[in-house]
Amino acid sequence: MALLLLSLVLLFSPFAVSAPPDLKDHQEADRVRRLPGQPPVRFRQYAGYVTVDDRSGKALFYWFFEATHEAAEKPVLLWLNGGPGCSSIGYGQAQELGPFLVKKGIPELKFNNYSWNKEANLLFLESPVGVGFSYTNTSSDIPKLGDKITARDSYTFLVNWFKRFPQYSSHDFFISGESYAGHYVPELAELIFDENKKEGDGHYYINLRGFIIGNALLDDETDQNGMIDYAWDHAVISDGLYHSIKKHCNFSHVNQTEECEAAINGYYAVYDIIDMYSLYTPTCTSGGGSRSRRPIPGVAPKVLAKFGGWHRKPAGYDPCLDVYTEVYFNRPDVQEALHANVTGSISRPWSLCSDEINSWADAPSSILPIIRKLVHGGLRVWVYSGDTDGRIPVTATRYTLKKLGLKVVEEWVPWYHHQQVGGWFEIYDGLTFVTIRGAGHQVPTFAPARSRELIKHFLKNRKLPKEPY
């Protein structure tokens, strides 16, 4: 009876899709029993589609892992990769923080001893439509994509996912992500925050407690200035090129002079020969896959994203990991086990970053107003930064947080992982900033043990260790 009433209430929500008649059967239909090449595990996993728009045939693909122990007591943590247009399953799950990482040179999986589902029930979402296994049956949906539609579709997904898995609806809920998820995560959090305030029939309450974002794009002006300053300070660009950019470019504006554009091309030329996402790791020389992507007009940051050099796929310690990942998720038996592309609606191969998304309708130049609003609204907000990332470097994030204007409560304290310094942290009034020493853009890939320590302390709202242990 309670489930029937819940279904009737949700039916009138502007975001809702009618609940399935038998939740248990629907959950079991999404149950993943065993993936090809997967090591045995005891926790349950589910994958499949949640419809976010019946009329256009929009469906977002998810992969959910129960916590390794005490799942009924653990929070639910959503992970979003950015791009825009890159897969949270291909990066977050398979290369960073999920239970199953792809093996080198073999289309199989290995268990991640530092998986974040040791700390939370872990939910990965491929968003927006056109990314990974997510799709729409209406081709005109793709050119309309932007920050707002991405947030709204992700919210619709969450409402209907919690309807499918109501046993998790009362759990604390957190959002996490990296890179362009510096837009996705706060925008989704704001939408949930605002919807939670509404009263009356037709509104669904999500138990949002906070969010954490890494190497996050947050503010065009400070992010772009920080990228240039970081490149000079880390001996990537010459004094002459640095001073030319500083003289001719004003990152407070979208349109730039020809002199600025020539200097920016010189800046990106350096990242043709070294990895922007991790300055001190090798590049892939084995061939078999390209890290280039077509530019996506309209995305942030408005100046640097106009150049082809901005649109590269990230890579980890093994610079050829992208190749192994795409081979694995294009296996027909893998897709069958994941309940992916079950209707045959996707004719394209699965890829880490979508080639379908060729434009972006909206992207605010700064996410800081949203962060101020949510900090003042009482949400837990952490920002972290791997300090060898040149893409959205620690320098940029420090400039951005200073611009946020929050009072510093505890200034630049080292934190420890066992006997070694893991990085530094700074606590502001309502926000915590953490650096991870020696990590690139995808922090969990480069520092798996320390990233698990980071998420454990975030979820428990505890300071990182200030002494060796």
Side-chain angles (χ1 to χ4, degrees):
M1 186 64 176
L3 289 176
L4 176 60
L5 291 173
L6 176 62
S7 299
L8 290 172
V9 168
L10 291 172
L11 181 63
F12 296 99
S13 169
F15 302 106
V17 177
S18 57
D22 191 320
L23 290 170
K24 186 175 180 180
D25 286 349
H26 207 156
Q27 289 181 20
E28 284 303 306
D30 284 2
R31 180 88 176 268
V32 177
R33 301 294 175 177
R34 185 77 175 268
L35 286 161
Q38 176 207 302
V41 293
R42 293 185 178 180
F43 56 83
R44 286 176 292 187
Q45 55 177 318
Y46 302 82
Y49 288 97
V50 172
T51 300
V52 296
D53 189 325
D54 277 325
R55 289 177 299 175
S56 66
K58 274 188 183 182
L60 296 183
F61 185 82
Y62 80 92
W63 195 354
F64 175 66
F65 301 91
E66 290 188 343
T68 56
H69 59 286
E70 299 178 341
E73 310 299 324
K74 291 282 200 304
V76 175
L77 177 66
L78 172 68
W79 174 268
L80 299 171
N81 275 91
C86 294
S87 167
S88 301
I89 285 168
Y91 283 115
Q93 196 301 119
Q95 297 187 30
E96 300 185 64
L97 56 110
F100 305 126
L101 305 179
V102 292
K103 285 185 177 180
K104 178 177 181 178
I106 307 172
E108 295 182 355
L109 301 173
K110 61 183 178 181
F111 184 68
N112 178 12
N113 290 321
Y114 304 102
S115 173
W116 286 12
N117 80 319
K118 293 188 174 183
E119 309 299 334
N121 298 287
L122 191 54
L123 176 61
F124 295 93
L125 175 64
E126 293 198 303
S127 176
V129 291
V131 174
F133 294 124
S134 295
Y135 68 90
T136 176
N137 291 328
T138 306
S139 59
S140 59
D141 285 339
I142 301 296
K144 298 175 185 176
L145 291 174
D147 282 19
K148 291 179 181 177
I149 286 178
T150 301
R152 190 160 293 271
D153 284 352
S154 296
Y155 177 81
T156 307
F157 164 84
L158 286 172
V159 168
N160 290 300
W161 188 87
F162 279 117
K163 287 167 57 180
R164 190 176 300 180
F165 292 88
Q167 65 266 40
Y168 291 104
S169 62
S170 63
H171 289 224
D172 287 349
F173 177 67
F174 296 92
I175 314 175
S176 57
E178 69 190 9
S179 194
Y180 201 84
H183 280 224
Y184 289 168
V185 171
E187 289 168 335
L188 175 58
E190 181 185 35
L191 184 53
I192 296 171
F193 183 82
D194 290 343
E195 288 295 319
N196 281 350
K197 288 183 175 180
K198 295 180 180 179
E199 298 178 355
D201 292 345
H203 296 293
Y204 191 94
Y205 185 87
I206 295 175
N207 198 22
L208 178 65
R209 291 291 178 258
F211 60 87
I212 180 169
I213 41 179
N215 292 85
L217 189 72
L218 295 171
D219 183 89
D220 280 9
E221 180 188 13
T222 50
D223 285 338
Q224 293 175 130
N225 276 313
M227 287 174 67
I228 304 305
D229 289 355
Y230 181 90
W232 177 81
D233 190 58
H234 284 72
V236 172
I237 60 175
S238 69
D239 291 358
L241 181 56
Y242 173 74
H243 291 303
S244 180
I245 294 173
K246 287 294 184 179
K247 178 180 179 180
H248 296 295
C249 301
N250 182 347
F251 293 120
S252 299
H253 303 296
V254 174
N255 297 319
Q256 301 293 324
T257 64
E258 291 182 3
E259 292 84 357
C260 172
E261 292 189 359
I264 294 297
N265 279 322
Y267 161 82
Y268 277 125
V270 180
Y271 288 120
D272 285 335
I273 56 175
I274 64 171
D275 189 352
M276 172 184 270
Y277 290 91
S278 180
L279 264 58
Y280 308 116
T281 56
T283 56
C284 183
T285 58
S286 68
S290 172
R291 292 189 56 199
S292 299
R293 298 178 63 202
R294 285 181 290 180
I296 304 174
V299 302
K302 291 296 193 298
V303 176
L304 293 185
K306 291 181 178 180
F307 295 80
W310 175 261
H311 300 273
R312 289 193 180 100
K313 301 175 188 177
Y317 268 139
D318 182 340
C320 305
L321 199 57
D322 287 7
V323 178
Y324 317 143
T325 306
E326 292 193 347
V327 168
Y328 183 79
F329 286 107
N330 276 298
R331 287 179 56 170
D333 55 349
V334 170
Q335 295 186 9
E336 182 179 3
L338 284 172
H339 318 122
N341 199 19
V342 289
T343 63
S345 298
I346 306 173
S347 58
R348 55 180 163 81
W350 184 93
S351 61
L352 279 161
C353 295
S354 174
D355 289 329
E356 287 192 354
I357 300 172
N358 296 314
S359 63
W360 202 248
D362 62 282
S365 61
S366 181
I367 301 296
L368 296 185
I370 297 176
I371 292 181
R372 286 191 192 97
K373 171 182 173 179
L374 298 179
V375 165
H376 293 149
L379 291 187
R380 186 182 313 161
V381 179
W382 284 31
V383 178
Y384 67 89
S385 183
D387 64 12
T388 66
D389 175 31
R391 171 70 166 213
I392 306 172
V394 64
T395 307
T397 303
R398 293 174 82 174
Y399 290 167
T400 298
L401 295 180
K402 183 177 180 181
K403 189 176 181 179
L404 194 56
L406 299 175
K407 179 182 177 182
V408 177
V409 176
E410 195 165 359
E411 187 174 8
W412 212 247
V413 180
W415 66 273
Y416 287 83
H417 180 67
H418 297 299
Q419 297 296 310
Q420 299 295 324
V421 173
W424 280 261
F425 69 83
E426 188 156 83
I427 298 177
Y428 297 85
D429 185 11
L431 183 148
T432 295
F433 173 53
V434 182
T435 73
I436 296 86
R437 191 163 66 100
H441 190 70
Q442 299 163 280
V443 167
T445 302
F446 295 94
R450 283 177 286 148
S451 78
R452 182 187 165 196
E453 180 134 16
L454 171 71
I455 199 65
K456 177 174 70 175
H457 283 76
F458 165 74
L459 293 171
K460 293 182 177 179
N461 200 23
R462 296 178 182 172
K463 290 183 183 179
L464 288 157
K466 295 196 287 186
E467 301 290 340
Y469 59 93

